[in-house]
Amino acid sequence: ILNNYTPGMWLTRAPSFSGSYLRSLSVRAGNLIHFLKWRLWEKITGVRLVRKIDRLYFDSPIIEENFRRFGYSARSSAVIPEPMEKVPENIPPAPFKRGAKTFHAVFAGRLIEDKGPDLLVKAALQLPSAIRIHLIGSGNEEESLRNFILRNGLSERVFLYGWKSMPELFSFYKNADVFVQPARWPEPFGRTTADAMACGTPVIAAENTGSAWVAGDGGITFKKDSVEDLVRAIMFFYNNPALRVDYAKRAFVRARDFGADTISRQFVADLESLA
């Protein structure tokens, strides 16, 4: 059962290193050697071993396609996503002040380059002041994001919260106008996206990612790594409140496809068909 990529596929990047030039160069060289060793092993041995597997399960068509492109091919495969937990019953009050004139966009995930939180923060420079951006999570990009917010006078519009518990996360999802997942890498699934949709929150996701597939007709996509197109997508929901409500309903319905009961029945039925 696969819900991520292998190092040799080169679809993820090593975290950036801040230090002296020579030390940074040494770390980058070490990372490159590590990835090259993995890639060599996977191409020579890994691909051959995978051919002996009876069934591979993938979290989304995105991850299945990337494994196929690399050369991984088992005897058979299927897409069955991971099951999602139900929305907690006791959700804390709204973590931010809502109002008729404010619009709230939420991101949740690791604050690293691959996840693209910086794209959302940079988009704030081109968005109306009524739009508030909330980022939940931690990672090695947190300090640079905080510095960017301070340098550009965004402290009243862009907020960093650090790590939050699951009930707290659902409070953000439930009170957001839109959930944004701006990943640069081909995200395999997008659990936070499914959780937000279960709260009836529409989604903006980078194209060709697991989050875009999860969103289905409950969200819209933007061009990967494009701040300008992300701004366009956010403004689409900001300027069309009636359409936003329609997308919210679709998101809630789509999220049912990932419920534990639905997924477990699919999984059991597929295993029985193999037997």
Side-chain angles (χ1 to χ4, degrees), residues 8-270:
M9 294 172 72
W10 289 358
L11 292 172
T12 58
R13 282 167 285 199
S16 57
F17 178 83
S18 57
S20 67
Y21 174 76
L22 289 177
R23 177 62 179 151
S24 178
L25 189 63
S26 174
V27 169
R28 289 201 299 269
N31 287 335
L32 178 60
I33 292 171
H34 172 75
F35 278 103
L36 285 172
K37 285 165 61 179
W38 266 101
R39 190 173 182 85
L40 185 63
W41 185 92
E42 290 189 43
K43 280 293 187 181
I44 294 175
T45 305
V47 169
R48 177 171 50 83
L49 291 175
V50 168
R51 294 193 188 113
K52 300 179 181 180
I53 295 174
D54 292 305
R55 191 72 149 176
L56 279 180
Y57 290 99
F58 296 95
D59 266 10
S60 74
I62 302 299
I63 186 171
E64 181 181 34
E65 175 62 15
N66 280 305
F67 268 80
R68 185 195 65 78
R69 286 179 180 174
F70 184 82
Y72 283 127
S73 179
R75 291 169 181 167
S76 63
S77 65
V79 173
I80 298 184
E82 59 181 293
M84 308 306 297
E85 299 174 11
K86 293 181 179 179
V87 177
E89 293 183 2
N90 299 317
I91 298 178
F96 42 75
K97 185 180 293 186
R98 293 188 53 84
K101 296 183 179 180
T102 56
F103 182 95
H104 299 273
V106 167
F107 163 90
R110 287 174 294 155
L111 301 183
I112 59 174
E113 186 179 3
D114 278 340
K115 291 284 188 179
D118 60 297
L119 299 174
L120 185 53
V121 174
K122 291 171 183 174
L125 295 174
Q126 303 177 41
L127 293 170
S129 59
I131 296 179
R132 307 286 191 266
I133 294 174
H134 309 271
L135 296 96
I136 302 104
S138 59
N140 61 5
E141 292 289 307
E142 187 170 357
E143 184 178 354
S144 63
L145 290 172
R146 197 178 304 279
N147 291 336
F148 184 90
I149 292 168
L150 291 173
R151 284 198 311 271
N152 291 278
L154 296 171
S155 299
E156 299 299 317
R157 295 165 51 201
V158 182
F159 308 94
L160 299 174
Y161 295 89
W163 182 90
K164 293 293 180 182
S165 66
M166 287 301 291
E168 290 174 307
L169 270 176
F170 277 98
S171 179
F172 277 94
Y173 299 150
K174 196 172 185 65
N175 289 283
D177 291 292
V178 67
F179 179 80
V180 183
Q181 190 55 274
R184 285 187 171 92
W185 73 314
E187 195 171 41
F189 179 68
R191 181 189 176 106
T192 54
T193 300
D195 282 340
M197 293 170 64
C199 293
T201 303
V203 171
I204 295 173
E207 60 187 6
N208 299 320
T209 61
S211 286
W213 174 76
V214 168
D217 63 357
I220 62 175
T221 62
F222 73 98
K223 295 177 183 178
K224 192 176 293 185
D225 216 2
S226 171
V227 172
E228 290 72 22
D229 205 40
L230 176 56
V231 168
R232 173 201 59 80
I234 294 173
M235 291 302 295
F236 170 81
F237 283 118
Y238 178 72
N239 290 325
N240 298 281
L243 278 176
R244 196 206 73 80
V245 172
D246 184 49
Y247 273 92
K249 293 176 181 177
R250 294 188 217 168
F252 183 75
V253 172
R254 170 65 170 162
R256 294 174 183 170
D257 293 342
F258 307 109
D261 291 343
T262 301
I263 297 299
S264 61
R265 284 195 298 269
Q266 292 177 9
F267 192 53
V268 170
D270 199 82

